[in-house]
Amino acid sequence: MSDAEVAQLADRVDRAPAGGDVVGVLFTVFLILLVTDILGFTKVFPFTRSIR
């Protein structure tokens, strides 16, 4: 990589968001808990019924 390419890459990294998408993380956690609730491994949500 040339010096200009390295500087451009460093600039992109500096402008990138640090934490990621919070809504996506919360949705993923919700889906994992929902699936484990339906499978009967947890009892987090009162609106689900276990398949066991």
Side-chain angles (χ1 to χ4, degrees), residues 30-46:
F30 172 76
L31 282 179
I32 291 171
L33 289 174
L34 183 64
V35 169
T36 57
D37 223 29
I38 291 170
L39 293 175
F41 297 121
T42 61
K43 186 61 181 146
V44 178
F45 303 112

Side-chain angles (χ1 to χ4, degrees), residues 1-48:
M1 290 179 83
S2 68
D3 290 338
E5 290 171 333
V6 170
Q8 184 182 19
L9 179 63
D11 184 48
R12 267 195 220 153
V13 169
D14 287 340
R15 286 187 283 132
D21 189 10
V22 175
V23 175
V25 171
L26 291 176
F27 184 69
T28 303
V29 169
F30 172 76
L31 282 179
I32 291 171
L33 289 174
L34 183 64
V35 169
T36 57
D37 223 29
I38 291 170
L39 293 175
F41 297 121
T42 61
K43 186 61 181 146
V44 178
F45 303 112
F47 56 85
T48 61

